[in-house]
Amino acid sequence: MTVEEDSDNRRINLKSKDGVVFEIQSSAAKISQLVMTTIDLDDEDEDDESNPTVEIPKVESACLSKVVEFCNHHANEPLRPIRTPLEGNTLEE
């Protein structure tokens, strides 16, 4: 599912260690296992207009902004699987 296909368009707030809040669509937030275990996104009350907030106390805002950017990007363009076992003996291969 891409961000554009997220029909209910629900949003989630992610709060960093230093108190900065980032808003992210639920479809993008589902990429994070931490968010998935903290909030059951499928059972959220659809009539509730407030966005749920997930506090992430061990991550500073500079890092969390990159996580949000990653989740937004990969909600639109899914990760490609890494073939295993790796074919070569070095990372360059």
Side-chain angles (χ1 to χ4, degrees):
M1 171 190 312
T2 66
V3 173
E4 287 81 19
E5 293 171 347
D6 192 8
S7 61
D8 59 10
N9 223 9
R10 287 181 288 175
R11 312 284 292 175
I12 295 172
N13 294 322
L14 303 178
K15 186 175 182 181
S16 67
K17 175 182 182 177
D18 43 353
V20 178
V21 177
F22 297 89
E23 189 175 81
I24 187 171
Q25 286 186 317
S26 63
S27 60
K30 288 179 181 180
I31 293 172
S32 168
Q33 288 297 315
L34 176 66
V35 173
M36 290 298 293
T37 57
T38 305
I39 296 176
D40 188 1
L41 295 172
D42 295 328
D43 290 337
E44 286 295 316
D45 184 12
E46 294 184 16
D47 295 332
D48 187 10
E49 293 186 18
S50 65
N51 299 341
T53 299
V54 177
E55 291 193 28
I56 306 179
K58 295 185 178 184
V59 180
E60 293 186 7
S61 60
C63 183
L64 188 56
S65 70
K66 294 295 183 184
V67 171
V68 169
E69 182 181 330
F70 175 88
C71 289
N72 285 330
H73 175 78
H74 288 292
N76 290 321
E77 185 177 314
L79 290 165
R80 290 178 284 152
I82 299 173
R83 293 184 298 157
T84 56
L86 297 176
E87 294 177 7
N89 293 328
T90 64
L91 293 176
E92 288 82 24
E93 297 176 38

